[in-house]
Amino acid sequence: MSKDIQELKAICKKIREDIVTMIHQAGSGHPGGSLSAAEIMTALYFGGIMDVRPEEPEWEGRDRFILSKGHVAPVLYSVLAERGFFPVEELSTLRRFGSRLQGHPHKAHTPGLDCSSGSLGQGLSIANGLATAFKHRKTPQRVYCLMGDGELQEGQIWEAALYASQHKLDNLCAIVDDNGVQLDGRVEDIKSLGDIAEKWKAFGWNVIEADGHDMAAVMDAFHEAKEAKGAPAVIVAHTIKGKGVSFMENDCAWHGAAPNDGELQAALSEIRGA
Ligand SMILES: Cc1ncc(C[n+]2csc(CCOP(=O)(O)OP(=O)(O)O)c2C)c(N)n1
């Protein structure tokens, strides 16, 4: 599946509508970091970047996606549903008892998931394992792993970063959703990462920086990552937490809060009008 930039932008709007709507229906969830990742996730699942089969979710030849920042499950559930892995109507069951769509991804429940997640810091290690296996088997699958910038404060990430470059995992593409805000404040005020791109370079990675809300730039970054050989690639995507809903943007109060009825209507009209 590969669509042009205008089509991708339209899908991205739908993803943002889904995110705010399902979190409103659930009465809880994480809109800020879901909205900031909308273009990244749209490019992966609708831009022809990842090779997946919605009708055969466990197809062995599929590319793998690891949502290391598992709290943003709504953006992943939305792209999976809109892509046809399960009915879009099911999004309204987010976080309900018995639902396949739990607050954090559970691989055993949800079609299209490659990994359970929620405990920050672990995804890149899991991605390493998959990428290593594909290297050993000499098979073409690629592995994608989305992390938050706040998540990069976890030490395990940097152990995994060393491993991936040591083993030249050029079938691995990490993405940092660099929105500058974590759960309760700005990343630079809580435990600053300094220059994120320089850090990844120092760990031996091919580093690509992009405006994470410019769909064409995000697509270019993924294509460039596919071309990079001899080392893993990381896309540092400069984003805005809560992107698309002005009162949520750059405000950690919307890291993990649900919009009420009025806020949902305001959010939807902004997203649709953009
Ligand atoms: C190991 C671990 N510690 C703490 C948390 C609680 N937690 C959930 S989200 C979050 C902040 C993550 O910030 P960031 O990675 O920047 O995510 P984003 O802004 O993209 O939502 C924290 C501390 C967790 N899920 N796992």
Side-chain angles (χ1 to χ4, degrees), residues 33 69 71-72 118-120 148-151 154 177 179 181-183 241 255:
K69 54 168 200 158
H71 58 284
V72 306
S119 190
L120 295 168
D149 57 340
E151 184 184 5
E154 294 282 352
D177 182 357
N179 62 32
V181 178
Q182 55 188 89
L183 185 152
K241 194 150 175 164
H255 169 80

Side-chain angles (χ1 to χ4, degrees), residues 44-59:
L44 280 171
Y45 281 88
F46 291 91
I49 302 299
M50 278 181 58
D51 194 4
V52 291
R53 293 180 181 171
E55 68 290 355
E56 196 186 345
E58 294 292 316
W59 171 50

Side-chain angles (χ1 to χ4, degrees), residues 126-164:
I126 297 165
N128 276 346
L130 289 163
T132 302
F134 297 137
K135 282 275 179 197
H136 279 295
R137 290 180 195 163
K138 300 191 185 343
T139 53
Q141 297 95 325
R142 289 180 57 77
V143 183
Y144 294 88
C145 175
L146 178 65
M147 297 172 285
D149 57 340
E151 184 184 5
L152 299 187
Q153 296 163 343
E154 294 282 352
Q156 185 178 344
I157 299 276
W158 301 102
E159 298 178 44
L162 288 174
Y163 173 95

Side-chain angles (χ1 to χ4, degrees), residues 8-9 12 16 32-44 69 75 146 175-179 208-222 235-244:
L8 291 175
K9 284 183 180 175
C12 200
R16 288 200 162 90
S34 296
L35 291 166
S36 62
E39 281 82 3
I40 296 163
M41 297 299 292
T42 301
L44 280 171
K69 54 168 200 158
V75 69
L146 178 65
I175 309 108
V176 178
D177 182 357
D178 184 19
N179 62 32
I208 301 157
E209 292 192 72
D211 175 343
H213 299 309
D214 178 334
M215 188 57 79
V218 172
M219 287 294 297
D220 287 347
F222 278 120
I235 298 172
V236 179
H238 302 296
T239 56
I240 294 170
K241 194 150 175 164
K243 173 70 179 176

